[in-house]
C-alpha cells in the first residue's frame, strides 16, 4: 500500500513539474496598436467632474457686508454654461442675473465662473453642494465658512 501511495505521489509531482516547466508560446502581432490621446483629468482617478451628478441648480444665502444676506442661485449646465442670480435681501434694486461660461480646473474638483465684467467666481464641487471659494481659490475659513455652501436643489 505504501508503494502504491508513493507511486501516485511521484506521478502527481512529475505532472506538476511538467505543467509548470512548459513555455507558453507568445505570438507576435504585426498590427500596430492604436494609441488614444488622453487628457490629464481622464488619467486621474475619480473626481467631482467625472464621478458626481453635478449639473443642476444650487441655492443658499451667503453673507453680505451691508444687508442681511444675499440669496444666491447658480445653475450649472452640462454644456459648460451657467446662470447666476443674486438677490440682496432688503434692497429695492438688489436683484442681479448673469449668464456665462465656467471651466473645470486640472484636478476636476473646482470650477471657475467667468462673469461679464471679466471677474471670476470659484467653487469646489462636492456631493450635493457647491462651496464658494475666496479670490485665490481657497476655502473660506472662520465662523461663517459654512454659509458659503450652496445646496443642490
Amino acid at each position: 500500500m505504501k508503494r502504491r501511495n508513493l507511486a501516485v505521489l511521484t506521478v502527481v509531482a512529475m505532472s506538476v513539474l511538467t505543467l509548470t516547466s512548459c513555455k507558453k508560446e507568445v505570438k507576435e502581432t504585426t498590427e500596430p496598436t492604436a494609441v488614444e490621446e488622453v487628457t490629464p483629468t481622464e488619467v486621474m482617478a475619480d473626481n467631482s467632474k467625472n464621478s458626481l451628478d453635478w449639473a443642476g441648480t444650487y441655492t443658499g444665502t451667503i453673507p453680505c457686508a451691508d444687508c442681511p444676506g444675499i440669496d444666491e442661485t447658480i445653475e450649472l449646465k452640462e454644456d459648460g454654461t451657467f446662470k447666476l442670480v443674486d438677490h440682496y435681501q432688503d434692497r429695492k434694486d438688489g436683484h442681479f442675473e448673469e449668464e456665462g461660461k465656467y471651466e473645470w480646473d486640472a484636478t476636476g474638483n473646482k470650477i471657475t465662473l467667468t462673469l461679464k465684467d471679466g471677474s471670476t467666481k470659484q467653487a469646489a464641487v462636492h456631493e450635493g453642494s457647491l462651496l464658494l471659494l475666496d479670490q485665490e481659490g481657497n476655502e473660506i475659513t472662520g465662523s461663517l465658512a459654512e454659509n458659503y455652501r450652496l445646496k443642490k436643489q
Side-chain angles (χ1 to χ4, degrees):
M1 186 70 143
K2 287 183 182 179
R3 281 190 166 179
R4 186 169 181 212
N5 286 344
L6 185 57
V8 169
L9 187 59
T10 304
V11 170
V12 170
M14 290 179 75
S15 297
V16 169
L17 285 172
T18 303
L19 290 174
T20 58
S21 65
C22 289
K23 282 188 176 178
K24 201 174 202 180
E25 189 176 319
V26 178
K27 196 173 187 180
E28 200 171 306
T29 178
T30 56
E31 295 178 31
T33 355
V35 177
E36 289 185 35
E37 202 168 306
V38 181
T39 62
T41 52
E42 292 175 311
V43 173
M44 296 173 57
D46 289 342
N47 58 35
S48 298
K49 182 179 180 183
N50 68 24
S51 65
L52 297 181
D53 180 24
W54 50 264
T57 303
Y58 299 81
T59 62
T61 301
I62 61 175
C64 178
D66 58 354
C67 71
I70 304 168
D71 297 325
E72 183 159 277
T73 301
I74 298 176
E75 180 185 2
L76 296 179
K77 300 174 187 173
E78 289 188 26
D79 66 357
T81 61
F82 71 89
K83 181 176 182 179
L84 169 69
V85 178
D86 281 335
H87 179 77
Y88 288 71
Q89 298 174 355
D90 293 344
R91 289 226 184 129
K92 185 177 179 182
D93 296 327
H95 187 82
F96 303 94
E97 293 187 21
E98 188 160 351
E99 294 184 24
K101 293 185 178 187
Y102 66 90
E103 292 183 359
W104 289 90
D105 73 346
T107 68
N109 293 315
K110 295 179 183 178
I111 57 169
T112 300
L113 288 74
T114 303
L115 306 176
K116 291 176 190 172
D117 65 2
S119 65
T120 59
K121 186 171 208 141
Q122 297 183 62
V125 181
H126 294 177
E127 181 69 43
S129 69
L130 288 180
L131 183 61
L132 301 178
L133 305 172
D134 67 16
Q135 291 300 317
E136 287 78 41
N138 301 312
E139 286 189 18
I140 297 167
T141 58
S143 60
L144 297 178
E146 238 353 85
N147 292 338
Y148 289 92
R149 185 175 303 276
L150 305 180
K151 298 196 189 274
K152 189 172 183 189
Q153 301 304 300

